Amino acid sequence: MRRTGLTATAAATVLLTAACAGGPAAQGGDDTASPAPGPSGAASAPPTAGAATDRPVPPPPAEGSVDVTRTVATGLPSPWGLAPLPDGDFLVSSRDEATILRVDGESGATTRVGEVPGVQPGGEGGLLGIALGPGAGSGQLYAYFTSASDNRVVRMNYQPQRPEGQQLGAPDAVVRDIPKAQTHNGGRMVFGPDGMLYVGTGDAGTGGDAQDPDSLAGKILRVQPDGSPPQDGNVGDGSLVYSLGHRNVQGLAFDGAGRLWASEFGQNTWDEVNLIEPGGNYGWPEVEGEAGEEGFTDPVAQWRPEEASPSGLAWAEGSLWLAGLRGERLWRIPLDGTELVAEPQAFLQGEYGRLRTVAAADGNGLWLVTSNTDGRGDPADGDDRILELTVE
């Protein structure tokens, strides 16, 4: 599949964008590994700075396997984001209740960490992705949420020693003025090996904003932990915009060589997984799926919306793993570097309903979060749940 970047002139235009710019609040499709945590539950400092590395990663076999080892937790209300903690527990965000729960990784028991103030749930908006802050002992939790006026990223002190329900400090806004709407709010975040926070946004139902370098809609943002534009000498210094032309980014993951991948909803034709390059233009709304047009980057893999409606994305055992909402299946995408080893392989089709979030676990494991209580699913007894998977 053909992959092209922006021309030098276009890339310069995109990457000299002002830090934060607003935009208006289309239908179609479905709503539709960070650094290792340190002892406090915050992520440890990244081992290297920069983006992708040249470390060789052996390709996986063409076909893999998935085994559901156990159900870790049940009865979770509208879960969206998941942040594994170093002791085997999890923090889980509830989109509609604007709360964060701590889930015991062995018993599945939940305790209420706290409620995030300022969240205004509605449609696909609410309390979305969460990520543990970088730096051993930082004790900071980042959250992406929909407010009354915008989508935004905040950071809060996480203090697990405090009483239940009172473990979150006041939110400090890191990024503001990401356009909001009933649909296409983005919301996934991940810290990269360079210590920067990468944030996926949606077009908020206005496709043209994805091509507008002065809007934060339909973009992947790259920001310092305090929310300021990077100033590390890499492409994009002085701007939050890392890539553009996205309809609704729902998954972000770094592979074993430090490359960034993203999943996003298409409209009616193609959902996508993309290899993200700085300054890359991924085509929306001018193109959807593989188009081979000059100036736009084609996806590495694509599906019909009924097969995917992709959400969370993770890297494990040489493959990307993609959680599907409308598709109700887990996709394995085996890669040799940046190329497909074989066609993507589907698992768990229809067994657990809508799948929202997938995260890498120790060894050859994954954590998988269902999404049947989000208003679009058909909840079964025990929904929603966290599953532990063993994959190859």
Side-chain angles (χ1 to χ4, degrees):
M1 294 188 178
R2 181 170 168 271
R3 290 186 290 275
T4 60
L6 289 172
T7 64
T9 302
T13 300
V14 171
L15 296 170
L16 290 176
T17 306
C20 287
Q27 192 61 36
D30 200 322
D31 77 347
T32 22
S34 48
S40 72
S44 300
T48 57
T53 70
D54 294 326
R55 295 193 308 273
V57 178
E63 293 190 356
S65 65
V66 169
D67 179 49
V68 179
T69 308
R70 64 188 176 113
T71 298
V72 179
T74 59
L76 301 176
S78 60
W80 210 99
L82 180 142
L85 295 169
D87 62 359
D89 291 354
F90 310 90
L91 297 181
V92 180
S93 61
S94 170
R95 186 193 70 181
D96 296 340
E97 297 192 356
T99 56
I100 293 177
L101 300 178
R102 182 168 181 146
V103 178
D104 187 291
E106 293 189 1
S107 70
T110 61
T111 55
R112 193 169 185 268
V113 171
E115 181 174 352
V116 180
V119 178
Q120 182 172 293
E124 296 172 9
L127 180 57
L128 304 176
I130 55 176
L132 294 164
S138 74
Q140 293 182 325
L141 180 67
Y142 287 70
Y144 184 115
F145 70 78
T146 310
S147 75
S149 59
D150 62 3
N151 287 301
R152 61 182 59 182
V153 178
V154 301
R155 59 180 175 180
M156 301 163 286
N157 288 329
Y158 171 47
Q159 300 169 297
Q161 72 278 9
R162 298 188 64 186
E164 182 177 350
Q166 303 175 34
Q167 297 171 3
L168 294 177
D172 174 32
V174 172
V175 181
R176 296 178 181 268
D177 298 327
I178 302 169
K180 60 167 282 190
Q182 284 291 106
T183 60
H184 306 179
N185 289 293
R188 199 68 67 175
M189 302 185 297
V190 64
F191 276 95
D194 55 1
M196 300 293 175
L197 180 63
Y198 292 78
V199 181
T201 75
D203 69 3
T206 304
D209 284 353
Q211 290 292 325
D212 180 358
D214 292 325
S215 171
L216 297 184
K219 308 294 190 298
I220 293 175
L221 311 178
R222 177 177 181 261
V223 305
Q224 297 193 70
D226 65 0
S228 59
Q231 301 289 344
D232 57 2
N234 290 320
V235 176
D237 273 3
S239 171
L240 299 187
V241 176
Y242 191 67
S243 64
L244 77 165
H246 301 286
R247 185 170 182 263
N248 192 13
V249 176
Q250 292 284 288
L252 293 171
F254 283 89
D255 66 18
R259 290 176 288 252
L260 178 61
W261 298 82
S263 60
E264 66 175 283
F265 295 144
Q267 187 172 36
N268 300 313
T269 308
W270 295 113
D271 295 331
E272 303 177 359
V273 163
N274 288 293
L275 173 63
I276 304 301
E277 301 286 356
N281 188 332
Y282 292 82
W284 179 255
E286 304 302 322
V287 298
E288 182 180 352
E290 185 181 2
E293 291 193 16
E294 188 67 28
F296 299 132
T297 303
D298 281 346
V300 173
Q302 61 184 23
W303 299 263
R304 299 297 184 184
E306 61 270 19
E307 298 176 319
S309 292
S311 188
L313 191 66
W315 171 263
E317 294 299 293
S319 296
L320 290 168
W321 299 84
L322 174 70
L325 289 166
R326 182 177 168 191
E328 297 189 353
R329 65 199 81 176
L330 178 69
W331 285 100
R332 174 183 181 264
I333 307 160
L335 294 167
D336 183 1
T338 63
E339 303 293 331
L340 289 173
V341 170
E343 289 299 308
Q345 184 180 6
F347 296 96
L348 309 179
Q349 183 173 345
E351 294 184 31
Y352 295 96
R354 294 160 59 82
L355 306 179
R356 171 70 65 181
T357 295
V358 59
D362 291 337
N364 60 331
L366 291 173
W367 310 114
L368 183 63
V369 183
T370 67
S371 188
N372 297 309
T373 59
D374 67 346
R376 295 188 177 182
D378 183 15
D381 289 343
D383 278 335
D384 273 308
R385 61 195 73 210
I386 299 174
L387 306 172
E388 181 182 26
L389 311 181
T390 301
V391 302
E392 294 182 359

